[in-house]
Amino acid sequence: MGTRKVVVIGGVAAGMSAASQAKRRQPELEVIVFEEGETISYGACGMPYNIGDPERDIDDLIVLTPEQAAGRGIDLRTGHRVTGLDPASGKVHGVNLTERREFEESFDTLILATGARARRLELPGFGLPGVFRLRKLEHGRQIKAFIDEQRPKEVVLLGAGYLAMELSHMMRELGLEVTIVKKRPVILRGWSAPTVDLVVEELDRHGVTIRTGLEERGAVADADGRVEALETDQGRIPCQMILQAIGIEPRVDLAAEAGLRIGNTGAIWVDRTLETSAEGIRAAGDCAETYHAVLEDNAWAPLGTTANRQGRIAGANAAGLNLTFDGTAGTSGFKAFDLEISRTGINAETAEQRGWAPVSVTISQQSRAHAFPGSAPVHVTMIGDRDTGRFLGAEIVGREDAAMRINVLAAALRGRMTIEDIRGMDLVYSPPLAPVWDPILIAANQLIKKVRSPT
Amino acid sequence: MGTRKVVVIGGVAAGMSAASQAKRRQPELEVIVFEEGETISYGACGMPYNIGDPERDIDDLIVLTPEQAAGRGIDLRTGHRVTGLDPASGKVHGVNLTERREFEESFDTLILATGARARRLELPGFGLPGVFRLRKLEHGRQIKAFIDEQRPKEVVLLGAGYLAMELSHMMRELGLEVTIVKKRPVILRGWSAPTVDLVVEELDRHGVTIRTGLEERGAVADADGRVEALETDQGRIPCQMILQAIGIEPRVDLAAEAGLRIGNTGAIWVDRTLETSAEGIRAAGDCAETYHAVLEDNAWAPLGTTANRQGRIAGANAAGLNLTFDGTAGTSGFKAFDLEISRTGINAETAEQRGWAPVSVTISQQSRAHAFPGSAPVHVTMIGDRDTGRFLGAEIVGREDAAMRINVLAAALRGRMTIEDIRGMDLVYSPPLAPVWDPILIAANQLIKKVRSPT
């Protein structure tokens, strides 16, 4: 074993998973984590919900404190920004932000877990205190404090992905008027039309205004320097707070400057052991690509699950193992008001691009047995390949048990199942829990009719 | 096509599924259904819940009326009890209960869907009006009427299977004192100890008394002939109503007398096309055996899902197709108060009997993300084969999303997956919906350590 010292850059989900796993697998290893912030290992995906609940402290989201990390034998160095990486000599260097001095550290093996950054617009007034983006715990803390102190009445949300949906929900919970502003009339890009329709209807039902086709120009401040409107090409929209949820991008600067291969997706290329193009250097989490089990190719899937799973593999392999990452199946989900929205696999557009002949159905079926009180419709969109009958992906939306049902289809992807395989699943039935023909079975039964030589 | 006339015996779940499917597949077929009762196609599994809700009419449970069946072109003959079957001549005979006369009918192909009957004890006083069992819609109607009119305060439940659990729950909802009486100290036979402990704790929390080790001797009536106690070998237990939930047995008399093969389970033997030992005669539903995909052998799985799925296959095959039943995976679930209890596959005892080397774990994990409000523990017991790593079965219990999670593992059984396969599943994560490491993944991750040469 030549490995004595593992250096991890980044101390949130992937980084701390990797560090913990490396130390657990090989306790004699020296494991150093450089994290530029002061907090590590927090549940970033929980931030919208925490922001929506004034009773909760933002620090509730911290899974592991620096002290707990130290207790695991990890040499955690917060306030350390790594600014350079030399694969040939096995060294990193950077700045100790607390002591304002430079540092250098050698490594036998390195794990890049630099994450992603939230995009932001460079527009006039977007440096004002009422304009936010949400990525780090500090952003969440600032937003909570601003709402608590400034009591904004109206908020404009830029963006229409799942984060914007979650934030709309939470801002309404807090009693704010919410306007989503978006230039292109596309809500939830990449999701199917039936799903988008259901979400838009849900936003509408809860008083969220969606304005598409107009472009933001900047933030307008009042005499006290407080945001009072969003300036657009079609006039002003009054608001005291602007939240940018316009997407994220992988932080690859360090890797790119060191000459590591950047994949087509823009994230750091890795093989299935999470090794980058440089031997002994691995990458995990939002900064890295991930193997996609349906595409059988690298993809970029910046999600908490992928980050944690990749971190574990990268950490174990840094400790001398040779594990392979099973990959993502594209499973994700979120909640918007009372609606659960979830998906797995690939959509019809991607399927077509990759040479499949996608066929799909959308069905609606009650969540519980015939005539059982409390039942709610579950909407399933299911996609398969016409020629082989293979199941390719699905979206499930509903007020009850939508997200849990997507996992059944994630399991089907794991098993490379056909629609026929899904139709033959023995799923649970009990009147208060599920109908005798589960929505998944109904969808499979419809979709199989569109597959060649169905039975 | 020699088949012109299909006769179906039994008009509830399997029978009506079969009749509808045969007619849909081959509309020119003559399809006759003999049903001894007056109602057809009702959701028997919903009866406990309907009984527990005075606002609901028992007829809510009817999925298809005789008129709707006629509309599908089915020649439905209610009030007809079939008493004899002659495979050689292709004839059935019986009694028209309404007109009190005998009838005879020929068939080209026959489907037996005679269901199961609820066991009952032949004890003194068990013929009194306050003593019930629950199987048919009429039983449900009688129980509802009795509760409404007699307002019993105390009920004794005989039996401790899932029906007894559901009825305990519903009787408590109606405000009755509930005592479960059972000779052998076994609650939920066939379920694992951790599951049983959780259910017993839940019953206890909701004021249900469980008394084991005493034997029922009969019902004691007051001067007006109303039940006032259950007599046992250890004294009387005051009650105004006695519910027998001591199990069911397949109704195979007709098949047995006609010389059809009865399987080891006591139910009618069928092959995977649902054909019995007599050519052209099929059986489906609670009267029949079913292929068990984990055992790779016939089993008896009298459940609503199996009945509906078998009915469809039997009906399609009666209409000239040659479909194979994918079989059951042993998936089932029920609710007891706030607890969802579910399982799939086989338990450790059965696994051992069948030559596997079962290893198992039980873990508890929150249903939602770290620190997310409303989270509740999900308890997973997972069983695998030590030598091959194959996943064999699981039980999931919890207040939230327990039953939906079992379907993920039912899917795993469908794909004959290993524990390693399960560990690599890409399951959904979103703070209000699920934790980043789903309880299923945690269980698989623990169990894999007990499998030979884990990684």
Side-chain angles (χ1 to χ4, degrees):
Chain A
M1 294 252 157
T3 300
R4 296 274 181 75
K5 196 198 281 183
V6 178
V7 166
V8 180
I9 305 178
V12 188
M16 289 312 297
S17 288
S20 299
Q21 187 68 206
K23 195 72 191 170
R24 194 175 308 148
R25 294 282 189 170
Q26 203 179 313
E28 68 278 18
L29 274 183
E30 185 181 352
V31 177
I32 303 171
V33 176
F34 291 113
E35 164 56 41
E36 63 182 5
E38 291 301 328
T39 43
I40 56 162
S41 191
Y42 53 89
C45 307
M47 281 200 289
Y49 302 96
N50 188 297
I51 290 169
D53 183 353
E55 302 298 312
R56 283 180 70 189
D57 192 279
I58 195 78
D59 290 332
D60 275 5
L61 296 168
I62 295 174
V63 178
L64 198 71
T65 63
E67 294 69 34
Q68 288 168 323
R72 291 185 183 179
I74 296 166
D75 181 353
L76 175 66
R77 303 186 190 171
T78 54
H80 282 64
R81 177 178 295 154
V82 177
T83 54
L85 154 64
D86 182 5
S89 66
K91 282 184 181 150
V92 294
H93 64 265
V95 185
N96 177 329
L97 301 171
T98 320
E99 300 176 7
R100 296 167 185 272
R101 59 176 180 77
E102 299 200 334
F103 71 87
E104 188 183 83
E105 188 64 61
S106 65
F107 60 82
D108 294 311
T109 179
L110 182 78
I111 298 171
L112 290 162
T114 46
R117 67 169 64 83
R119 288 209 189 93
R120 59 174 159 184
L121 299 169
E122 302 287 350
L123 292 175
F126 267 44
L128 288 167
V131 183
F132 298 98
R133 53 189 172 144
L134 179 61
R135 181 70 196 164
K136 297 182 174 187
L137 198 69
E138 280 315 299
H139 297 147
R141 197 187 305 280
Q142 289 158 12
I143 294 172
K144 271 182 99 87
F146 182 86
I147 292 171
D148 185 42
E149 290 156 17
Q150 304 294 325
R151 306 277 163 182
K153 297 267 174 291
E154 297 148 308
V155 59
V156 164
L157 259 159
L158 304 177
Y162 75 85
L163 179 59
M165 302 297 121
E166 290 173 338
L167 285 170
S168 301
H169 177 187
M170 289 303 129
M171 293 298 121
R172 291 297 291 149
E173 289 271 304
L174 291 169
L176 279 78
E177 294 300 320
V178 177
T179 304
I180 291 176
V181 171
K182 198 151 185 308
K183 188 173 185 194
R184 290 198 306 159
V186 180
I187 306 295
L188 287 177
R189 186 159 58 91
W191 293 75
S192 72
T195 297
V196 173
D197 289 348
L198 288 162
V199 174
V200 168
E201 194 182 287
E202 184 76 0
L203 293 177
D204 188 57
R205 183 180 296 125
H206 288 89
V208 175
T209 304
I210 301 177
R211 296 191 58 182
T212 59
L214 74 177
E215 192 168 33
E216 54 280 348
R217 291 276 164 86
V220 184
D222 64 13
D224 299 326
R226 290 181 303 204
V227 171
E228 64 173 13
L230 177 79
E231 184 81 70
T232 80
D233 58 348
Q234 291 168 46
R236 292 181 174 185
I237 301 173
C239 62
Q240 299 78 47
M241 180 163 68
I242 297 169
L243 292 175
Q244 304 181 75
I246 54 173
I248 59 170
E249 55 196 20
R251 293 180 64 183
V252 302
D253 323 72
L254 210 54
E257 283 162 23
L260 271 55
R261 178 177 164 194
I262 304 301
N264 293 331
T265 65
I268 303 168
W269 180 91
V270 286
D271 67 16
R272 290 188 65 183
T273 68
L274 280 328
E275 195 163 53
T276 67
S277 58
E279 199 186 329
I281 300 183
R282 294 177 179 81
D286 293 353
C287 66
E289 292 194 330
T290 180
Y291 179 76
H292 193 297
V294 181
L295 298 177
E296 298 182 20
D297 194 0
N298 272 10
W300 188 48
L303 293 166
T305 38
T306 309
N308 277 278
R309 291 168 68 210
Q310 285 190 326
R312 265 168 96 137
I313 302 277
N317 289 351
L321 279 83
N322 189 29
L323 303 185
T324 299
F325 181 45
D326 293 306
T328 181
T331 311
S332 70
F334 64 96
K335 216 176 158 187
F337 298 96
D338 301 325
L339 214 52
E340 301 178 6
I341 302 104
S342 62
R343 65 174 165 188
T344 193
I346 58 177
N347 64 18
E349 194 184 340
T350 304
E352 201 149 342
Q353 283 164 4
R354 298 282 176 144
W356 303 96
V359 284
S360 77
V361 291
T362 299
I363 64 100
S364 299
Q365 170 77 359
Q366 292 299 110
S367 59
R368 308 185 190 187
H370 171 75
F372 200 90
S375 202
V378 177
H379 310 275
V380 180
T381 296
M382 191 180 280
I383 298 163
D385 178 53
R386 191 191 56 216
D387 298 330
T388 60
R390 186 160 162 206
F391 167 61
L392 296 173
E395 292 174 18
I396 306 186
V397 183
R399 279 165 213 289
E400 181 174 78
D401 292 336
M404 281 297 111
R405 280 189 167 93
I406 205 71
N407 282 345
V408 178
L409 296 174
L413 290 175
R414 177 78 177 134
R416 302 173 66 89
M417 291 188 196
T418 62
I419 307 298
E420 181 75 44
D421 290 332
I422 294 170
R423 186 168 65 160
M425 285 180 180
D426 182 24
L427 302 183
V428 74
Y429 164 52
S430 174
L433 304 174
V436 68
W437 292 103
D438 194 272
I440 288 172
L441 302 178
I442 302 274
N445 211 39
Q446 294 295 320
L447 185 53
I448 208 155
K449 293 172 189 162
K450 299 191 176 184
V451 166
R452 272 190 213 285
S453 52
T455 46
Chain B
M1 293 252 155
T3 300
R4 298 274 182 73
K5 195 198 283 182
V6 178
V7 166
V8 180
I9 305 177
V12 189
M16 289 312 298
S17 289
S20 299
Q21 188 67 209
K23 195 73 191 170
R24 194 175 310 148
R25 295 282 188 169
Q26 204 180 309
E28 68 278 18
L29 273 183
E30 184 182 354
V31 177
I32 303 171
V33 177
F34 291 114
E35 164 56 42
E36 61 181 8
E38 290 302 327
T39 43
I40 57 161
S41 191
Y42 53 88
C45 307
M47 282 201 287
Y49 303 95
N50 188 297
I51 289 169
D53 184 352
E55 301 299 312
R56 284 181 68 189
D57 193 279
I58 195 79
D59 291 331
D60 275 4
L61 296 168
I62 294 172
V63 178
L64 199 71
T65 62
E67 294 69 34
Q68 288 168 322
R72 291 185 183 178
I74 295 166
D75 182 353
L76 176 66
R77 304 187 189 171
T78 54
H80 282 64
R81 176 179 293 154
V82 177
T83 55
L85 153 65
D86 182 6
S89 66
K91 282 185 181 149
V92 294
H93 64 266
V95 185
N96 178 330
L97 301 170
T98 320
E99 299 176 8
R100 293 167 186 271
R101 57 172 181 79
E102 299 199 336
F103 70 87
E104 188 183 79
E105 189 62 62
S106 65
F107 60 82
D108 293 313
T109 179
L110 181 79
I111 298 170
L112 290 161
T114 46
R117 66 169 66 82
R119 288 210 188 94
R120 60 174 160 183
L121 298 169
E122 301 288 351
L123 293 174
F126 268 44
L128 287 166
V131 183
F132 298 97
R133 53 189 173 144
L134 179 61
R135 181 72 197 164
K136 298 182 171 186
L137 199 70
E138 280 316 298
H139 297 146
R141 198 186 305 280
Q142 288 157 13
I143 293 171
K144 272 183 99 88
F146 182 85
I147 293 171
D148 186 42
E149 290 156 18
Q150 304 293 325
R151 306 276 164 183
K153 296 267 175 294
E154 297 147 307
V155 59
V156 163
L157 260 159
L158 304 178
Y162 75 85
L163 180 59
M165 302 296 120
E166 291 173 338
L167 285 170
S168 300
H169 178 187
M170 290 302 128
M171 293 298 122
R172 291 296 292 149
E173 289 271 305
L174 292 169
L176 279 77
E177 294 299 319
V178 177
T179 304
I180 291 177
V181 171
K182 198 152 185 306
K183 189 173 185 196
R184 290 198 305 160
V186 181
I187 306 296
L188 288 176
R189 187 159 59 91
W191 294 74
S192 73
T195 298
V196 173
D197 289 349
L198 288 161
V199 174
V200 167
E201 195 182 285
E202 184 75 1
L203 294 176
D204 188 56
R205 184 180 294 124
H206 288 89
V208 174
T209 304
I210 302 178
R211 296 189 59 182
T212 59
L214 73 177
E215 193 169 32
E216 55 280 349
R217 291 279 163 82
V220 184
D222 65 12
D224 299 327
R226 290 181 302 205
V227 171
E228 63 172 13
L230 176 79
E231 183 81 70
T232 80
D233 58 348
Q234 292 168 46
R236 292 181 173 185
I237 300 173
C239 63
Q240 299 79 48
M241 181 163 67
I242 296 168
L243 292 176
Q244 304 182 77
I246 54 173
I248 59 170
E249 55 196 20
R251 293 181 64 184
V252 301
D253 323 73
L254 210 55
E257 282 162 22
L260 271 54
R261 178 176 164 194
I262 304 300
N264 293 331
T265 66
I268 302 168
W269 180 90
V270 287
D271 67 16
R272 290 187 65 182
T273 68
L274 279 330
E275 193 163 53
T276 67
S277 58
E279 199 185 329
I281 300 183
R282 293 176 182 81
D286 294 352
C287 67
E289 292 194 330
T290 179
Y291 179 75
H292 193 297
V294 181
L295 298 177
E296 297 181 23
D297 194 1
N298 272 10
W300 188 48
L303 293 166
T305 38
T306 310
N308 277 277
R309 292 167 68 211
Q310 285 191 326
R312 264 167 98 136
I313 303 278
N317 289 350
L321 279 84
N322 188 29
L323 304 185
T324 298
F325 181 46
D326 292 306
T328 179
T331 311
S332 70
F334 65 96
K335 215 175 159 190
F337 299 96
D338 301 325
L339 215 54
E340 301 179 6
I341 303 105
S342 62
R343 65 173 165 189
T344 193
I346 58 177
N347 63 18
E349 194 184 340
T350 304
E352 201 150 340
Q353 283 163 6
R354 298 283 176 144
W356 303 96
V359 284
S360 77
V361 291
T362 299
I363 63 99
S364 299
Q365 172 76 358
Q366 292 299 109
S367 60
R368 308 186 190 187
H370 172 75
F372 201 90
S375 200
V378 177
H379 310 275
V380 181
T381 296
M382 191 180 280
I383 299 163
D385 179 52
R386 192 191 56 216
D387 299 330
T388 60
R390 184 157 164 210
F391 167 61
L392 297 173
E395 294 174 17
I396 305 186
V397 183
R399 279 164 213 291
E400 182 174 78
D401 292 336
M404 280 299 110
R405 281 191 166 92
I406 205 72
N407 283 344
V408 178
L409 296 174
L413 289 175
R414 177 78 175 133
R416 302 174 67 87
M417 291 188 195
T418 62
I419 305 298
E420 181 75 44
D421 290 332
I422 293 170
R423 186 169 66 161
M425 285 179 179
D426 183 24
L427 303 182
V428 75
Y429 163 52
S430 175
L433 304 173
V436 68
W437 292 101
D438 195 90
I440 287 172
L441 302 178
I442 302 275
N445 212 38
Q446 293 295 318
L447 185 54
I448 208 155
K449 293 173 188 161
K450 298 190 176 184
V451 166
R452 272 190 214 283
S453 52
T455 46

